Amino acid sequence: MKAFQIKKYGKKEKLQLSEVAEPTVKENEVLVEIHAAGINLLDTKIKTGEFKIFLPYKTPLTNGHDMAGVVVKVGSGVSKFKVGDEVYTRVGDYRIGTFAEYISVRENDLALKPKNLTMVEAASIPLVGLTVWQALVERANLKKGQKVFIQAGSGGVGTFAIQFAKNLGATVATTTSTVNIEMVKSLGADVVIDYKKENFEKVLTGYDVVLNSQDAKTLEKSLRILKPGGKLISISGPPDTDFAVQMGSPWYLKLVMKLLSFGVKKRAKRLNVNYSFLFMKAEGDQLSEITALIDSGKIRPVIDKVFPFEQTNDAMAYVETGRAKGKVVVRVK
Ligand SMILES: NC(=O)c1ccc[n+]([C@@H]2O[C@H](COP(=O)([O-])OP(=O)(O)OC[C@H]3O[C@@H](n4cnc5c(N)ncnc54)[C@H](OP(=O)(O)O)[C@@H]3O)[C@@H](O)[C@H]2O)c1
């Protein structure tokens, strides 16, 4: 089968279109024919080698975390899926490879695809949807009537997070640039700040939760808009010790993570707020709950561009510009 592989880590390296063996299927796995694959910044960070320290993948490696497709084979121990099911997933770490024609997926990482979405639309959802679920539900326990600040409302995570938080009944503030203001309003954002013209710290105060996805300066300012007891969940760093534990990292990396987050944790404590870093994980049950939300029309995908499979490198390069409005997807079949 055809697959886009990382042969060598590096900023300037491109994925190589290669002929590789079709995956085998173990007892609790499902073989999926991939119809579409979503692109995430994580894919570009894996390719550059930025994540090598936490996820020491060996090359050659088929890249890609998100996909939607059709089940073509099931392992003997699989109970939740059958041949012909339309499914989607963010595959587990160390099991990546959705920029390909087929992939073998653990059934626990998989969910039925929302019925009202095309394959392309469905492939845009898993990684960002699970990130938002794990940040706003699992970590923050965001409740009706609370105030949440979601940075970069026009991005892949932001477009999903605004809709998700509104559905929970929260008041949503977001940042974006002038061209995307109408888009984030249409997704339900209550307070929209043009980050090129206004300083959000001057406008927002007494927030319960911040979903931080930007740089260190933005993180520092975000700590100060929280009310006492408020929670900041960062998906862009700095990583903390719990993350090293989650990744099964050796003791010296736990120490490095502790040092990296020491300053921000200290400042958060002084402000009587909570800081934590989140690295999302594959989770089929949570993805099934997201399927239900989408099926009920409460959340819709926001897709910026769709590329043909052959142009997977162009799709990656576009995401890497940091200017995507919503998600970028590759049509595989
Ligand atoms: N830890 C995790 O588990 C996890 C999971 C998912 C994502 N992430 C990380 O979270 C970050 C966001 O991911 P993403 O997929 O949403 O990225 P993305 O889709 O590439 O974000 C692009 C968007 O960001 C906006 N933007 C850029 N700079 C901004 C700023 N200073 N303020 C407000 N908006 C700004 C851009 O809007 P304009 O063009 O208007 O500037 C653009 O629409 C990335 O660093 C990603 O790696 C981490």
Side-chain angles (χ1 to χ4, degrees):
M1 66 166 187
K2 289 192 174 62
F4 271 97
Q5 294 204 305
I6 300 170
K7 295 274 160 100
K8 214 169 122 195
Y9 288 121
K11 258 203 158 79
K12 295 204 173 124
E13 294 298 323
K14 288 205 181 305
L15 302 178
Q16 304 290 320
L17 184 57
S18 316
E19 199 57 47
V20 301
E22 226 176 76
T24 54
V25 184
K26 298 207 186 87
E27 204 183 335
N28 295 312
E29 293 174 351
V30 166
L31 185 68
V32 182
E33 183 184 28
I34 299 172
H35 286 225
I39 310 272
N40 290 283
L41 273 165
L42 181 59
D43 305 321
T44 72
K45 290 175 184 178
I46 299 273
K47 184 202 64 114
T48 60
E50 221 175 296
F51 260 69
K52 221 165 37 178
I53 188 162
F54 315 116
L55 290 165
Y57 287 113
K58 295 223 162 53
T59 54
L61 161 76
T62 304
N63 203 4
H65 291 75
D66 273 346
M67 68 91 183
V70 176
V71 173
V72 289
K73 203 186 224 180
V74 293
S76 58
V78 168
S79 58
K80 296 189 237 170
F81 301 95
K82 59 180 189 318
V83 170
D85 281 347
E86 295 194 335
V87 291
Y88 70 152
T89 184
R90 184 284 202 197
V91 292
D93 294 322
Y94 298 107
R95 307 183 55 90
I96 68 173
T98 60
F99 300 162
E101 291 178 298
Y102 294 90
I103 191 165
S104 181
V105 185
R106 274 190 307 236
E107 73 164 331
N108 287 344
D109 295 342
L110 205 60
L112 289 173
K113 154 191 162 298
K115 289 192 182 63
N116 56 350
L117 297 193
T118 63
M119 288 287 182
V120 163
E121 288 170 331
S124 76
I125 298 287
L127 189 142
V128 294
L130 289 167
T131 302
V132 170
W133 185 286
Q134 288 162 21
L136 300 187
V137 177
E138 265 186 356
R139 282 280 168 97
N141 195 18
L142 184 67
K143 291 266 180 293
K144 189 174 173 175
Q146 288 192 316
K147 297 199 289 184
V148 59
F149 172 40
I150 292 159
Q151 297 163 8
S154 52
V157 174
T159 48
F160 190 96
I162 293 172
Q163 301 180 76
F164 189 84
K166 284 307 293 176
N167 184 56
L168 289 175
T171 297
V172 177
T174 193
T175 42
T176 193
S177 65
T178 321
V179 281
N180 294 321
I181 288 178
E182 285 316 310
M183 177 179 86
V184 298
K185 279 189 182 161
S186 77
L187 296 171
D190 301 287
V191 183
V192 180
I193 298 157
D194 184 337
Y195 73 88
K196 296 204 168 151
K197 295 185 180 157
E198 249 184 315
N199 177 358
F200 69 81
E201 197 187 349
K202 297 232 161 82
V203 184
L204 309 178
T205 176
Y207 270 67
D208 298 280
V209 177
V210 173
L211 177 54
N212 183 84
S213 59
Q214 303 299 309
D215 60 9
K217 216 166 151 189
T218 309
L219 168 58
E220 290 302 323
K221 290 200 285 185
S222 297
L223 285 175
R224 296 193 289 265
I225 69 146
L226 284 167
K227 70 179 194 194
K231 292 179 187 159
L232 185 146
I233 294 120
S234 178
I235 55 172
S236 56
D240 55 15
T241 323
D242 289 344
F243 168 61
V245 173
Q246 176 190 336
M247 302 309 280
S249 303
W251 66 268
Y252 56 88
L253 277 184
K254 290 189 184 119
L255 189 63
V256 172
M257 301 303 137
K258 189 172 180 171
L259 292 173
L260 284 175
S261 55
F262 182 78
V264 64
K265 287 232 178 207
K266 198 167 135 194
R267 285 188 290 285
K269 201 170 172 192
R270 216 181 283 147
L271 291 162
N272 192 19
V273 300
N274 181 271
Y275 171 83
S276 69
F277 174 74
L278 171 80
F279 184 66
M280 62 78 58
K281 52 186 189 311
E283 187 41 81
D285 287 345
Q286 290 173 351
L287 196 54
S288 295
E289 304 230 30
I290 290 170
T291 299
L293 274 177
I294 294 174
D295 275 339
S296 66
K298 294 193 170 118
I299 294 182
R300 62 176 166 89
V302 179
I303 305 220
D304 182 347
K305 278 183 196 279
V306 182
F307 289 82
F309 185 53
E310 299 70 38
Q311 288 174 22
T312 299
N313 279 305
D314 298 330
M316 294 257 292
Y318 181 65
V319 168
E320 233 168 339
T321 63
R323 296 273 85 82
K325 301 175 204 304
K327 294 291 302 177
V328 174
V329 180
V330 164
R331 195 188 302 278
V332 181
K333 192 181 153 79

